């Protein structure tokens, strides 16, 4: 079987990854086509394995593009118009894990589970800086910055080679969550997955980065070079034990089958291993705790066997403390089946709640907007099938359609028993008229006949 990277990134993450790059949609499509084209250059001896891996990775990118198109359609079409949008709120305050990390990474750092790195390398006028590293046995995350003297909009790390304890690891699968801060500065989190996670309390990690790339004025920008790093990685959650599950944790329906084979729950990540036979089109999974609350999915990677059976791993943010049982449900993202691509707006009044439909997937309910002296707060609740995709699609705009764009870090969840958030803007003039806006989100079909439940060991 061929290991395939299929990191399904939810729509709010796509906004965080690419929204700040101000790239027209066609440029990102071209990047996908380029990735697909590289499969034709593989030597015959390696063609089958690499073609499968790259094709599935490219398919995942296509999914990202489909979701991204729906997000970028909320912005004006041209780059010139985008430059005129008033961007408000701080985008980066120096701590990459706090700025770009998911809730698990942020919790891990605040709990003292990360290690400072503070290394940098320079080549070809580009400096790459590493800030923090966090490893919990389920994933290895590294905060990084790219600072460029000349080339603009460099955001992607290319040709990353990984060695552990001096041994090259061809199974390593780096992925990243990049954010373009300005034309010469990007920051993000690189995640490295290994087929066999390191069990040691400490190991030596070596990274060799062979290039950085981005888009500038409609053309791909790429700088080739060598940026090398070597660091000691400490597993501060080494006592978290993986739990293997017997064959009984499975469900079948009309020839489809879903089985949980094991899990690892740490203060940073919830990792679930599975076997699956069924519809793999835009496959994802929902994890729900014993209160009926969904746990946010991070990514999924899987292997497709010759018989069509999928073997893989899906990761989520950490479970809420005190969780005793969880249930996992497969789903298929219904890409391309939106009601409309048009934005949904409503005039901001004091007649609350103000409900904004996001299509079949659900809605956003604005409960209040506070115009304070030093900031503006939007209190809202997300209702629907996919709240962690829905919650990031809410904004304020002026009557002529100019959006105020707020950093995702200013969206704060305020309840663990509902999907309620506060979106923070800098102070706005309460006497001016505003409109609330959202977009229809991609719907999903839950495979409710294949729900599997498991008790969580404390």
């Amino acid at each position: 079987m061929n290991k395939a990277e299929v990191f399904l990134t939810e729509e709010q993450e796509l906004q965080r990854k690419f929204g700040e790059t101000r790239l027209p949609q066609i440029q990102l499509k071209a990047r996908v086509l380029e990735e697909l084209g590289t499969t034709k250059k593989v030597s015959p001896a390696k063609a089958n394995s690499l073609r499968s891996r790259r094709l599935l990775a490219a398919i995942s990118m296509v999914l990202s593009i489909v979701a991204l198109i729906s997000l970028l359609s909320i912005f004006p079409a041209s780059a010139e118009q985008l430059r005129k949008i008033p961007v408000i709120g701080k985008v980066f305050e120096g701590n990459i894990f706090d700025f770009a990390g998911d809730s698990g990474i942020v919790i891990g750092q605040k709990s003292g589970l990360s290690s400072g790195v503070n290394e940098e390398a320079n080549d070809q006028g580009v400096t790459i800086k590493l800030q923090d590293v966090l490893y919990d046995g389920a994933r290895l995350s590294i905060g990084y910055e790219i600072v460029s003297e000349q080339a603009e909009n460099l955001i992607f790390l290319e040709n990353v080679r990984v060695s552990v304890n001096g041994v090259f690891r061809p199974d390593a699968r780096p992925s990243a969550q990049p954010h373009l801060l300005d034309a010469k500065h990007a920051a993000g989190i690189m995640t490295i997955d290994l087929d066999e996670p390191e069990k040691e309390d400490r190991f030596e990690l070596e990274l060799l980065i062979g290039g950085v790339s981005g888009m500038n004025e409609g053309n791909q920008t790429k700088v080739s070079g060598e940026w090398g790093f070597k660091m000691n990685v400490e597993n501060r959650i080494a006592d978290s034990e993986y739990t293997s599950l017997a064959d009984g944790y499975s469900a079948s329906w009309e020839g489809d089958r879903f089985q949980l084979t094991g899990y690892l729950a740490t203060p940073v990540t919830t990792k679930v291993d599975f076997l699956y036979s069924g519809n793999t089109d835009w496959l994802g999974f929902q994890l729900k705790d014993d209160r009926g609350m969904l746990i946010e999915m991070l990514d999924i990677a899987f292997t497709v066997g010759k018989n069509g059976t999928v073997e893989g791993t899906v990761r989520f943010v950490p479970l809420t403390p005190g969780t005793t049982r969880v249930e996992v449900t497969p789903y298929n993202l219904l890409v391309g089946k939106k009601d409309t691509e048009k934005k949904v707006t409503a005039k901001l009044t004091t007649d609350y709640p103000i409900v904004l439909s996001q299509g079949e997937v659900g809605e956003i309910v604005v409960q209040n907007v506070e115009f304070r002296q030093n900031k503006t707060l939007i209190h809202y609740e997300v209702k629907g099938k996919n709240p962690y995709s829905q919650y990031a699609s809410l904004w304020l705009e002026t009557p002529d359609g100019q959006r105020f764009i707020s950093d995702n870090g200013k969206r704060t969840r305020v309840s663990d028993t509902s999907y309620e958030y506060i979106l923070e803007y800098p102070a706005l003039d309460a006497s001016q008229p505003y409109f609330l806006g959202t977009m229809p989100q991609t719907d999903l079909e839950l495979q409710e006949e294949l729900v599997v439940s498991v008790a969580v060991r404390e």
Side-chain angles (χ1 to χ4, degrees):
M1 293 189 292
N2 300 321
K3 193 68 178 181
E5 296 175 49
V6 187
F7 294 104
L8 303 186
T9 310
E10 299 292 356
E11 288 178 323
Q12 75 272 19
E13 278 301 317
L14 287 162
Q15 185 180 39
R16 295 171 67 182
K17 281 187 177 183
F18 300 108
E20 299 91 344
T21 64
R22 295 154 170 76
L23 302 179
Q25 300 161 11
I26 188 66
Q27 297 171 359
L28 292 172
K29 287 183 178 179
R31 182 176 174 83
V32 175
L33 294 176
E34 179 187 14
E35 291 295 323
L36 285 169
T38 61
T39 63
K40 299 177 182 179
K41 302 177 183 178
V42 182
S43 62
K46 298 181 180 179
N48 289 336
S49 62
L50 290 181
R51 183 178 295 112
S52 174
R53 178 171 175 169
R54 285 176 173 168
L55 179 59
L56 280 170
I59 288 172
S60 174
M61 182 68 79
V62 172
L63 171 62
S64 298
I65 296 307
V66 173
L68 178 61
I69 288 173
S70 68
L71 282 168
L72 292 187
S73 62
I74 72 175
F75 300 112
S78 72
E80 181 61 30
Q81 287 176 306
L82 279 168
R83 281 193 287 270
K84 294 179 180 178
I85 296 177
V87 179
I88 62 178
K90 295 180 180 178
V91 294
F92 184 60
E93 297 179 352
N95 186 312
I96 297 175
F97 274 5
D98 188 51
F99 164 66
D102 55 66
S103 61
I105 289 176
V106 173
I107 290 172
Q109 185 181 51
K110 291 182 177 179
S111 300
L113 301 177
S114 64
S115 301
V117 178
N118 297 321
E119 292 192 10
E120 66 179 61
N122 182 280
D123 194 12
Q124 307 299 318
V126 176
T127 300
I128 300 178
K129 303 177 181 180
L130 305 186
Q131 186 184 92
D132 285 283
V133 59
L134 177 60
Y135 180 65
D136 66 343
R139 55 176 167 156
L140 172 62
S141 301
I142 303 171
Y144 70 90
E145 292 181 73
I146 301 174
V147 181
S148 173
E149 297 176 5
Q150 297 178 345
E152 294 188 349
N153 297 341
L154 297 177
I155 188 170
F156 300 103
L157 301 177
E158 304 278 354
N159 304 322
V160 180
R161 292 171 57 88
V162 178
S163 296
V164 175
N165 293 330
V167 179
F168 171 60
R169 295 294 297 268
D171 61 308
R173 296 176 300 280
S175 60
Q177 298 176 4
H179 303 249
L180 193 65
L181 304 178
D182 56 51
K184 300 295 182 69
H185 190 192
I189 295 176
M190 174 170 49
T191 298
I192 299 175
D193 295 271
L194 301 170
D195 283 341
E196 296 180 3
E198 298 304 309
K199 303 297 184 182
E200 295 90 345
D201 292 344
R202 184 187 298 269
F203 59 89
E204 185 180 74
L205 177 72
E206 187 173 357
L207 298 178
L208 183 62
I209 300 170
V212 289
S213 66
M215 301 293 291
N216 187 30
E217 299 298 331
N219 299 309
Q220 183 181 27
T221 301
K222 185 171 182 178
V223 178
S224 298
E226 287 190 1
W227 296 264
F229 302 91
K230 184 179 292 186
M231 70 202 79
N232 287 318
V233 175
E234 184 175 354
N235 183 359
R236 299 190 177 183
I237 319 176
D239 56 347
S240 297
E241 294 185 6
Y242 181 85
T243 301
S244 297
L245 300 174
D247 293 344
Y249 294 93
S250 63
S252 300
W253 184 75
E254 293 188 353
D256 296 343
R257 188 169 187 270
F258 173 49
Q259 178 184 348
L260 297 182
T261 58
Y263 70 89
L264 174 64
T266 82
V268 179
T269 316
T270 305
K271 172 184 173 183
V272 177
D273 293 331
F274 65 90
L275 294 172
Y276 172 82
S277 297
N279 181 10
T280 58
D281 292 341
W282 317 116
L283 179 65
F285 294 86
Q286 286 191 346
L287 179 67
K288 189 177 293 186
D289 64 20
D290 43 16
R291 302 169 305 164
M293 299 304 298
L294 291 169
I295 308 300
E296 184 175 4
M297 189 179 88
L298 296 172
D299 51 49
I300 174 175
F302 58 74
T303 297
V304 182
K306 293 182 179 179
N307 61 356
T309 299
V310 170
E311 179 179 358
T313 297
V314 57
R315 293 180 301 195
F316 303 83
V317 301
L319 298 173
T320 302
T323 299
T324 59
R325 178 170 290 275
V326 297
E327 64 178 33
V328 186
T329 307
Y331 69 80
N332 299 101
L333 199 63
L334 301 178
V335 173
K337 296 183 179 180
K338 288 187 179 179
D339 296 335
T340 176
E341 295 294 337
K342 295 182 179 180
K343 67 179 181 179
V344 177
T345 60
K347 186 175 182 179
L348 178 60
T349 69
T350 57
D351 187 16
Y352 300 110
I354 300 173
V355 180
L356 300 171
S357 173
Q358 296 180 316
E360 293 294 328
V361 74
E363 61 190 18
I364 283 182
V365 181
V366 177
Q367 301 159 332
N368 189 26
V369 177
E370 293 184 78
F371 292 92
R372 297 185 181 181
Q373 183 175 0
N374 60 340
K375 57 187 174 182
T376 302
L377 302 177
I378 304 176
H379 300 257
Y380 68 101
E381 182 178 4
V382 177
K383 297 183 178 181
K385 304 176 190 176
N386 200 3
Y388 294 113
S389 173
Q390 298 171 242
Y391 88 102
S393 184
L394 176 66
W395 67 87
L396 274 177
E397 64 178 52
T398 60
D400 62 357
Q402 293 294 302
R403 279 79 162 178
F404 295 104
I405 304 173
S406 178
D407 167 27
N408 259 16
K410 297 300 181 182
R411 298 178 191 263
T412 305
R413 188 175 176 182
V414 296
S415 171
D416 61 0
T417 57
S418 65
Y419 308 104
E420 294 183 70
Y421 297 86
I422 295 178
L423 172 58
E424 180 180 331
Y425 282 172
L428 298 176
D429 185 350
S431 66
Q432 297 299 312
Y434 300 100
F435 282 79
L436 293 159
T438 189
M439 281 290 297
Q441 302 295 297
T442 303
D443 196 11
L444 56 82
E445 181 179 8
L446 290 167
Q447 300 179 32
E448 296 178 338
E449 298 83 3
L450 297 180
V451 177
V452 176
S453 179
V454 60
V456 178
R457 187 172 62 186
E458 295 184 1

